[in-house]
Amino acid sequence: MTGRILLIECADRKGLIHAVTGVLLGHGLNIVANDEFVDGENGRFFMRTEAEGKADTGRIEGEIRSHLPEGAIVRFSPTTKRRLVLLVSKDYHCLGDLLLRHAHGDLHATIEAVVGNHAALEALAGRFGVPFHVISHEGKSREEHEAEVLDAIRPYDPEFLVLAKYMRILSPGFVANFPSRMINIHHSFLPAFVGPSPYRQAAQRGVKLIGATAHFVTEALDEGPIIAQDVIPVDHTYSVEDLAKAGRDVEKVVLAKALKLLLEDRVFLCGRRTIVLS
Amino acid sequence: MTGRILLIECADRKGLIHAVTGVLLGHGLNIVANDEFVDGENGRFFMRTEAEGKADTGRIEGEIRSHLPEGAIVRFSPTTKRRLVLLVSKDYHCLGDLLLRHAHGDLHATIEAVVGNHAALEALAGRFGVPFHVISHEGKSREEHEAEVLDAIRPYDPEFLVLAKYMRILSPGFVANFPSRMINIHHSFLPAFVGPSPYRQAAQRGVKLIGATAHFVTEALDEGPIIAQDVIPVDHTYSVEDLAKAGRDVEKVVLAKALKLLLEDRVFLCGRRTIVLS
Amino acid sequence: MTGRILLIECADRKGLIHAVTGVLLGHGLNIVANDEFVDGENGRFFMRTEAEGKADTGRIEGEIRSHLPEGAIVRFSPTTKRRLVLLVSKDYHCLGDLLLRHAHGDLHATIEAVVGNHAALEALAGRFGVPFHVISHEGKSREEHEAEVLDAIRPYDPEFLVLAKYMRILSPGFVANFPSRMINIHHSFLPAFVGPSPYRQAAQRGVKLIGATAHFVTEALDEGPIIAQDVIPVDHTYSVEDLAKAGRDVEKVVLAKALKLLLEDRVFLCGRRTIVLS
Amino acid sequence: MTGRILLIECADRKGLIHAVTGVLLGHGLNIVANDEFVDGENGRFFMRTEAEGKADTGRIEGEIRSHLPEGAIVRFSPTTKRRLVLLVSKDYHCLGDLLLRHAHGDLHATIEAVVGNHAALEALAGRFGVPFHVISHEGKSREEHEAEVLDAIRPYDPEFLVLAKYMRILSPGFVANFPSRMINIHHSFLPAFVGPSPYRQAAQRGVKLIGATAHFVTEALDEGPIIAQDVIPVDHTYSVEDLAKAGRDVEKVVLAKALKLLLEDRVFLCGRRTIVLS
């Protein structure tokens, strides 16, 4: 074991850092980076540790767990690359950006497949040799369509599902298949402009900044915990189309940033919000 | 006349710029800066021109008006400093920032007086020798209180009213006294977190950016046309109090920026949004 | 002719806007957007006008020229897409980003070919069906290598050359072939960290922001007029490699932004700086 | 003792966090926030811990020191407010901003006095009842002037000296009196535009962003370790004076931010750069 990441989440109490670092030290591991956070309101302790050295991760997890409050989550990140499936509609910019990073070894994950409810991006996935499944929603009930999408996804057994400008609302039933394992890029600075056509809303409201928000997908639309956000300045000369075009650059960068944080195991869920440890 | 600013707003049609610049040329004026905008949706034309030279502004306005569609607004900015009255509650940062700029000749306006519904900032105004009127709202109906505030403001005959963290909602009746002449700084990135306690909402929602919005005050709360906005990054370690403190620096800078644009006559109203000409 | 862009640059004097708009009006053209700027120091006038209507552009250019000071530059933008050739080395992110935009109709130009001094990105260009020429610099003098690069570029007759992370310094002789027609993305916030290894310099200096600068290429290295810049926050935890990775997202977005401004004919040269009209 | 901050800096080796947290635990202290960083290149370990509980700080420091490598720096932050002396010239914005925060309890320090080489800001300090010493440099050698400044500062025994737009270069001899205890706000995004007149340089170079940098003062001008930086967008319409005005808002916010980090004991020096722990 070299350069492993240890993740801990439990009820807060005195002595947690000392206990955890004691176990790591006992196994001869050297801590090279460490970040903790205590959420005072909920009394929760979060810790992310990068340690160097060779050791038996299962045994270490068990030892640490024995020092922590009941119900503690203690786990080492896998050393294998995570498997991703991407869901898309017609917008190319987020998919293209992720395929580029993937093809050049910058993603720390494998894009196993892309599922689209349109065929518009099939050629793009093809350029990078990534399987693409067209599953049109036309003439189907939401349940039927989602069942087909699930069938297409299942063989790839993805750890994370990435909605890379997937423009359909997913049912709570679908979402329940990927608890804390599905992220979305929303084309606005949430919680402003929840729902569809945010750029039209933004133009009518005359905002001077537009943004993008990457968040976990939960049952409540556009209400999942936020992972990353950014904005860019705009002005009265921007048409709805101009806003949408300008927004694309923010969207793709924010989605890639959120995915990077997720794949580096920096993102913890804490109620309606995220804790992002450095 | 040297360095005068001409403001025009009318229905759009061919030849407007040519007609206006022709009149200015005929009077020997030299255009040193010029910006126009046509709002296609509403068919409105906006123009702001800085011209150098000596001339009869009243006559020029009349001549230009004769070339423009009926109902055109044509006016030169006044050469005298605008008079401002500020409304405040307990937060010092916006008031203090404006008093500082005012005292050092950076505001291009005179702060005639400050009205507070608390006495908390009386000493601060006093440091700068600016009259401060404490008009408590306690034990009064909204109508009674607003009538007293109006009575205090009236003698100063302000061109603009600046809500510099005034934490009371103003009635449509009060607002009607200052059409397009009252601006507010809202402690969030509108339209996110409309209403009170935005920093509490922001903390619970776990946003990664917080912002501030300066806007005209209209009858609909937090819905007036936006003049300026900005954001700063925050993270999970920020308490509600931390967010509020961090927000203060954005608020004061955004309010000052909006006021500068307003006092330089760069802000035009166009439906629910502003046109800000450079 | 519908939606043509007229560009004017000349010595400043009274009446220029009136004269130009008069000619356009005489030809029945409707101005839908207009921006001007007078550089006081150099006494230069710059104007960019978007006009709608059908007309004889050659005749209009002549008429306008007859009203302007001698030496005036008056030209309508071409209606055909500009031809680009890209120069690259090993970094994929800028090339990939431009290829993606190009393939999806977002670039307003055609990427005719890519020339690389390494073969590393040949496969990437191939994914998008764009010709790629590998012209290694190894074992050649600068003059020999540049002559080969020029030979490869020439058949494509590009209007603009884009250095998309081309990591070789070009001789003044090479640069002279593309006056005001070559842009570069520099991996730092110029004028900080001129020269090579800016991320190493940035790490050692402990900067809290890193940036990217897109600029015209002139004979003086990293001294050409700046078109666009942006920055992102970083901190002490970033290694040189982390800074470089983070910088890629800024670089590609800034280069794409500068190229967009250039292709929309918004960028004028004025001494050592650019005028970017809206 | 409640809510004390412990600061540690030493050569890196295994087991440091475990050792330190063990001592704190032994004394019944509860860690509420903790951040560490290991600078790999220099092999230095930095740690900042906020702990709650009542204990003998001197004894704890000793115990911790006994567990750490020789030469370790181990200290609790003082519970008393730090004393500051500010040095200024003619620009009011940074001084005014700090006086405002100070007067309203937002600074976590006391401004003991202000020293100016001009009398321009004497009235401003007077508004807030802060002593102001005018020590003109005219007709004096640098050594004479600095000696007088030192004499004026000495009675206040400041922990930190803040150069709030002090426009004179300080000699190494003067700087040596306040090792790691003097900070400056530089009116540019260092390392761009080192030296005087950065706004003139910026205008001539046509930059699209301007910034400010707060840094420790060391013997080498504008080369001290950077604490905080920020930028704002500008364009070709900004004159040198406009750039300077726009820059003021960045300068005051960046200086205040750096001072806040310093007063919260978050800033560690590490060679030519700072480590800023959260």
Side-chain angles (χ1 to χ4, degrees), chain D residues 125-145:
Chain D
R127 291 183 198 276
F128 290 89
V130 170
F132 191 97
H133 300 263
V134 183
I135 302 180
S136 171
H137 59 279
E138 288 185 30
K140 297 170 193 160
S141 71
R142 181 173 308 278
E143 289 66 34
E144 287 168 343
H145 183 245

Side-chain angles (χ1 to χ4, degrees), chain B residues 69-277:
Chain B
E70 197 152 350
I73 298 166
V74 179
R75 62 188 173 91
F76 279 92
S77 294
T79 51
T80 53
K81 284 194 175 182
R82 264 67 174 256
R83 285 196 304 279
L84 308 180
V85 168
L86 276 47
L87 266 62
V88 302
S89 290
K90 293 177 176 173
D91 289 339
Y92 76 94
H93 55 289
C94 287
L95 174 61
D97 189 64
L98 295 178
L99 288 170
L100 268 177
R101 294 176 198 259
H102 184 237
H104 292 87
D106 262 0
L107 197 64
H108 306 297
T110 59
I111 299 178
E112 298 290 331
V114 182
V115 177
N117 62 324
H118 296 279
L121 300 178
E122 188 166 21
L124 177 55
R127 291 184 198 275
F128 289 89
V130 171
F132 190 97
H133 300 262
V134 183
I135 302 181
S136 172
H137 59 280
E138 287 185 31
K140 297 169 194 161
S141 70
R142 181 172 307 277
E143 289 67 33
E144 288 168 342
H145 183 245
E146 289 186 351
E148 285 186 39
V149 170
L150 260 185
D151 284 346
I153 294 171
R154 201 170 289 124
Y156 297 106
D157 188 24
E159 179 148 1
F160 295 112
L161 223 60
V162 179
L163 309 189
K165 302 292 293 174
Y166 184 65
M167 304 307 278
R168 300 205 19 108
I169 294 171
L170 293 165
S171 73
F174 185 93
V175 172
N177 287 284
F178 305 93
S180 310
R181 289 166 47 208
M182 192 180 344
I183 68 170
N184 181 44
I185 180 71
H186 188 268
H187 38 330
S188 98
F189 179 72
L190 289 175
F193 307 129
V194 169
S197 304
Y199 290 122
R200 177 159 299 281
Q201 293 182 58
Q204 288 169 347
R205 190 69 177 78
V207 294
K208 305 304 183 193
L209 296 171
I210 57 167
T213 301
H215 60 95
F216 282 109
V217 179
T218 55
E219 302 187 4
L221 176 66
D222 297 341
E223 285 288 320
I226 293 168
I227 304 170
Q229 303 190 287
D230 204 0
V231 295
I232 50 166
V234 296
D235 61 43
H236 62 274
T237 64
Y238 283 64
S239 65
V240 175
E241 178 59 22
D242 292 334
L243 291 173
K245 276 197 185 182
R248 284 178 204 160
D249 282 341
V250 199
E251 291 169 12
K252 74 184 183 197
V253 169
V254 168
L255 177 59
K257 183 183 170 187
L259 194 53
K260 182 174 187 286
L261 293 171
L262 196 66
L263 295 170
E264 291 177 357
D265 289 294
R266 300 187 182 280
V267 188
F268 294 75
L269 276 165
C270 182
R272 288 179 63 207
R273 64 193 193 116
T274 62
I275 309 300
V276 181
L277 297 186

